Amino acid sequence: MPIEKTDTLVVGGGQAGIACSEHLGSNNVPHIVLEKNRTAEAWRTGRWDALVANGPAWHDRFPNMLFEGNDPDEFVTKDRFAQYLVDYAAMIKAPIREGVEVLEATRQPGKGGFLVKTTAGEIECKRIVAATGAFQHPVIPPIVPETSGVEQIHSFYYKNPEQLADGAVMVVGAGSSGAQIADELNRAGRKVFLSVGPHDRPPRRYRGRDFVWWLGVLGLWDMAAPAPGTEHVTISVSGAYGGRTMDFRRLGNEGVTLTGLTAGYADGVLSFKGDLQENVANGDTNYLEVLDAADAYVERTGIDLPEEPEARVVHPDPDSLANPLTGIDLAKEGVTTIIWATGFRQDFSWLKENAFDEKGAPIHQRGVSKVPDVYFLGLPWQSRRGSSFLWGVWHDAKYVADQIAIQCSYAKYEGEAAIITAAE
């Protein structure tokens, strides 16, 4: 049976792969998109039931399609988001093949291109775009042994409060996922502990504008490189319950017990670093910096946006913040479940190329690999701060597809004689 051939193979049928397909199609580059599950699978099954987008519908979208039927300021549900991606792929006629997993891609010496082994057979291609994104494999730190008697799950597998065994819940990680899950569990009447590490926490809205608008007019989405040491700063923001600023003092006063960064475990006791007050204070500083920058923008431009002094009102410190715990005895506190909202690791082990650093991260320039004919999409800070967002990956995909189109154009060159012959 002959091996199928194409110019460019895109691995991953999520938002990055769909965006790439649109731009490759616009450049008339023959390509195939392979998705090992269903299109937008992570949004379908890798999110909890009540999740909504962290940005409003007018902003968190591809440029060429609105969220029809949704209010522009609405934070759409995860299922609506997944359907949007499916509809978009259909609109652009993306050649996505679902249920096909890439097992191995190896370069063909002396022949050019790659031989790609998949669960549906082999494919030869000239170029590969790894569009599997940044959220591939959930990571649970090896802190609490499986023999502890406490159920441990990653936030990727959390669905709703009813899924968990009766008892208190320890949530580790105060980014958007951890903070929202802790909030949901607390509202459901659970006793909740929340381990808060270093984080940024922008205002949800200020002076009548969502924070995504402020980051846009302040030029912060298009920052080309993060400040040193901030490449992986946790961002705590939420569109839940209509969109509210994630304020840890508020959560503490509503019943969530805040703790510092989770440090260790011994004899049934989970211990914490003494950094809770510092982490919350640094989050406050980030919050106020955004307000200050927004106020300066209003003053500079004269735009008519109402002042909002109440945005600077600080909630009183809950007891858990004023008197931080150094540890908790899980059994005595009735903790039956630990939810680890501790991020993901990337996995490009299928791509047999020397294109990665010692930690396995791609070495690239705006998605163009250091090795020929390999490209990446969906990486954090791929070209700018907004690269991990729907609209950001669309612009990154355009750049990558344009580079591929340029290479295709050069490959068609047949020499000066061919040009003269064609002219005659």
Side-chain angles (χ1 to χ4, degrees), residues 23 89 103 117 144 186 208 248 342 354 375 407 411-412:
H23 294 297
L103 304 175
K117 296 180 181 179
V144 180
N186 186 59
F248 293 107
T342 43
N354 183 27
Y375 305 83
Q407 291 302 313
K412 293 177 181 177

PDB file of all heavy atoms in Angstrom, residues 23 89 103 117 144 186 208 248 342 354 375 407 411-412:
ATOM      1  N   HIS A  23      -4.137  29.302   7.954  1.00  0.00           N
ATOM      2  CA  HIS A  23      -3.105  30.086   7.275  1.00  0.00           C
ATOM      3  C   HIS A  23      -2.356  29.276   6.224  1.00  0.00           C
ATOM      4  O   HIS A  23      -1.960  29.824   5.184  1.00  0.00           O
ATOM      5  CB  HIS A  23      -2.146  30.685   8.300  1.00  0.00           C
ATOM      6  CG  HIS A  23      -2.795  31.697   9.189  1.00  0.00           C
ATOM      7  ND1 HIS A  23      -3.326  32.872   8.705  1.00  0.00           N
ATOM      8  CD2 HIS A  23      -3.007  31.714  10.526  1.00  0.00           C
ATOM      9  CE1 HIS A  23      -3.829  33.573   9.708  1.00  0.00           C
ATOM     10  NE2 HIS A  23      -3.658  32.892  10.813  1.00  0.00           N
ATOM     11  N   ALA A  89     -13.225  25.126  12.471  1.00  0.00           N
ATOM     12  CA  ALA A  89     -12.519  24.160  11.626  1.00  0.00           C
ATOM     13  C   ALA A  89     -13.366  23.802  10.403  1.00  0.00           C
ATOM     14  O   ALA A  89     -12.843  23.658   9.290  1.00  0.00           O
ATOM     15  CB  ALA A  89     -12.184  22.911  12.426  1.00  0.00           C
ATOM     16  N   LEU A 103       2.973   8.543  16.367  1.00  0.00           N
ATOM     17  CA  LEU A 103       3.818   7.720  17.222  1.00  0.00           C
ATOM     18  C   LEU A 103       5.284   8.107  17.127  1.00  0.00           C
ATOM     19  O   LEU A 103       6.002   8.098  18.131  1.00  0.00           O
ATOM     20  CB  LEU A 103       3.652   6.245  16.846  1.00  0.00           C
ATOM     21  CG  LEU A 103       2.207   5.707  16.876  1.00  0.00           C
ATOM     22  CD1 LEU A 103       2.175   4.274  16.359  1.00  0.00           C
ATOM     23  CD2 LEU A 103       1.632   5.797  18.276  1.00  0.00           C
ATOM     24  N   LYS A 117       5.168   7.871  11.542  1.00  0.00           N
ATOM     25  CA  LYS A 117       4.377   6.685  11.855  1.00  0.00           C
ATOM     26  C   LYS A 117       3.205   7.088  12.739  1.00  0.00           C
ATOM     27  O   LYS A 117       3.374   7.770  13.747  1.00  0.00           O
ATOM     28  CB  LYS A 117       5.245   5.655  12.582  1.00  0.00           C
ATOM     29  CG  LYS A 117       6.390   5.125  11.728  1.00  0.00           C
ATOM     30  CD  LYS A 117       7.229   4.102  12.496  1.00  0.00           C
ATOM     31  CE  LYS A 117       8.381   3.594  11.639  1.00  0.00           C
ATOM     32  NZ  LYS A 117       9.220   2.613  12.379  1.00  0.00           N
ATOM     33  N   VAL A 144       3.129  13.847  48.338  1.00  0.00           N
ATOM     34  CA  VAL A 144       2.312  12.991  49.200  1.00  0.00           C
ATOM     35  C   VAL A 144       2.294  11.587  48.600  1.00  0.00           C
ATOM     36  O   VAL A 144       1.855  11.403  47.457  1.00  0.00           O
ATOM     37  CB  VAL A 144       0.877  13.532  49.320  1.00  0.00           C
ATOM     38  CG1 VAL A 144       0.038  12.635  50.219  1.00  0.00           C
ATOM     39  CG2 VAL A 144       0.899  14.963  49.852  1.00  0.00           C
ATOM     40  N   ASN A 186     -15.920  25.651  47.976  1.00  0.00           N
ATOM     41  CA  ASN A 186     -16.364  26.395  49.157  1.00  0.00           C
ATOM     42  C   ASN A 186     -17.840  26.774  49.045  1.00  0.00           C
ATOM     43  O   ASN A 186     -18.604  26.660  50.009  1.00  0.00           O
ATOM     44  CB  ASN A 186     -15.506  27.650  49.325  1.00  0.00           C
ATOM     45  CG  ASN A 186     -15.814  28.397  50.607  1.00  0.00           C
ATOM     46  OD1 ASN A 186     -15.700  27.852  51.708  1.00  0.00           O
ATOM     47  ND2 ASN A 186     -16.208  29.650  50.482  1.00  0.00           N
ATOM     48  N   GLY A 208     -14.908  50.324  34.106  1.00  0.00           N
ATOM     49  CA  GLY A 208     -15.833  49.941  33.047  1.00  0.00           C
ATOM     50  C   GLY A 208     -15.244  49.138  31.914  1.00  0.00           C
ATOM     51  O   GLY A 208     -15.925  48.897  30.910  1.00  0.00           O
ATOM     52  N   PHE A 248      -7.828  36.847  47.143  1.00  0.00           N
ATOM     53  CA  PHE A 248      -7.649  35.781  48.121  1.00  0.00           C
ATOM     54  C   PHE A 248      -8.124  36.178  49.512  1.00  0.00           C
ATOM     55  O   PHE A 248      -8.528  35.318  50.301  1.00  0.00           O
ATOM     56  CB  PHE A 248      -6.195  35.323  48.128  1.00  0.00           C
ATOM     57  CG  PHE A 248      -5.804  34.639  46.849  1.00  0.00           C
ATOM     58  CD1 PHE A 248      -4.986  35.268  45.925  1.00  0.00           C
ATOM     59  CD2 PHE A 248      -6.294  33.376  46.551  1.00  0.00           C
ATOM     60  CE1 PHE A 248      -4.655  34.648  44.733  1.00  0.00           C
ATOM     61  CE2 PHE A 248      -5.969  32.745  45.363  1.00  0.00           C
ATOM     62  CZ  PHE A 248      -5.148  33.382  44.452  1.00  0.00           C
ATOM     63  N   THR A 342      -1.360  22.058  39.536  1.00  0.00           N
ATOM     64  CA  THR A 342       0.076  22.307  39.483  1.00  0.00           C
ATOM     65  C   THR A 342       0.661  22.255  38.075  1.00  0.00           C
ATOM     66  O   THR A 342       1.863  22.055  37.903  1.00  0.00           O
ATOM     67  CB  THR A 342       0.796  21.301  40.396  1.00  0.00           C
ATOM     68  OG1 THR A 342       0.230  19.985  40.227  1.00  0.00           O
ATOM     69  CG2 THR A 342       0.629  21.692  41.857  1.00  0.00           C
ATOM     70  N   ASN A 354      16.931  16.847  17.162  1.00  0.00           N
ATOM     71  CA  ASN A 354      17.698  17.569  18.176  1.00  0.00           C
ATOM     72  C   ASN A 354      17.243  19.034  18.199  1.00  0.00           C
ATOM     73  O   ASN A 354      17.984  19.947  17.879  1.00  0.00           O
ATOM     74  CB  ASN A 354      19.198  17.473  17.863  1.00  0.00           C
ATOM     75  CG  ASN A 354      20.047  18.137  18.931  1.00  0.00           C
ATOM     76  OD1 ASN A 354      19.628  18.228  20.089  1.00  0.00           O
ATOM     77  ND2 ASN A 354      21.221  18.609  18.551  1.00  0.00           N
ATOM     78  N   TYR A 375       8.540  23.156  13.059  1.00  0.00           N
ATOM     79  CA  TYR A 375       7.905  24.369  13.571  1.00  0.00           C
ATOM     80  C   TYR A 375       7.066  24.014  14.796  1.00  0.00           C
ATOM     81  O   TYR A 375       6.633  22.865  14.961  1.00  0.00           O
ATOM     82  CB  TYR A 375       7.013  25.014  12.499  1.00  0.00           C
ATOM     83  CG  TYR A 375       7.745  25.305  11.213  1.00  0.00           C
ATOM     84  CD1 TYR A 375       7.924  24.310  10.249  1.00  0.00           C
ATOM     85  CD2 TYR A 375       8.274  26.564  10.953  1.00  0.00           C
ATOM     86  CE1 TYR A 375       8.614  24.566   9.066  1.00  0.00           C
ATOM     87  CE2 TYR A 375       8.952  26.831   9.776  1.00  0.00           C
ATOM     88  CZ  TYR A 375       9.123  25.832   8.843  1.00  0.00           C
ATOM     89  OH  TYR A 375       9.805  26.093   7.674  1.00  0.00           O
ATOM     90  N   GLN A 407       9.358  28.956   2.207  1.00  0.00           N
ATOM     91  CA  GLN A 407      10.193  27.811   1.865  1.00  0.00           C
ATOM     92  C   GLN A 407       9.625  27.054   0.665  1.00  0.00           C
ATOM     93  O   GLN A 407      10.377  26.595  -0.196  1.00  0.00           O
ATOM     94  CB  GLN A 407      10.318  26.882   3.077  1.00  0.00           C
ATOM     95  CG  GLN A 407      11.121  27.462   4.225  1.00  0.00           C
ATOM     96  CD  GLN A 407      12.525  27.843   3.814  1.00  0.00           C
ATOM     97  OE1 GLN A 407      13.228  27.069   3.152  1.00  0.00           O
ATOM     98  NE2 GLN A 407      12.945  29.046   4.188  1.00  0.00           N
ATOM     99  N   ALA A 411      11.478  26.406  -2.953  1.00  0.00           N
ATOM    100  CA  ALA A 411      11.629  25.030  -3.440  1.00  0.00           C
ATOM    101  C   ALA A 411      11.172  24.872  -4.881  1.00  0.00           C
ATOM    102  O   ALA A 411      11.604  23.952  -5.590  1.00  0.00           O
ATOM    103  CB  ALA A 411      10.850  24.073  -2.537  1.00  0.00           C
ATOM    104  N   LYS A 412      10.294  25.773  -5.335  1.00  0.00           N
ATOM    105  CA  LYS A 412       9.785  25.707  -6.702  1.00  0.00           C
ATOM    106  C   LYS A 412      10.746  26.318  -7.720  1.00  0.00           C
ATOM    107  O   LYS A 412      10.563  26.165  -8.935  1.00  0.00           O
ATOM    108  CB  LYS A 412       8.440  26.427  -6.791  1.00  0.00           C
ATOM    109  CG  LYS A 412       7.330  25.752  -6.015  1.00  0.00           C
ATOM    110  CD  LYS A 412       6.047  26.569  -6.083  1.00  0.00           C
ATOM    111  CE  LYS A 412       4.937  25.909  -5.287  1.00  0.00           C
ATOM    112  NZ  LYS A 412       3.695  26.741  -5.293  1.00  0.00           N
TER     113      LYS A 412
END
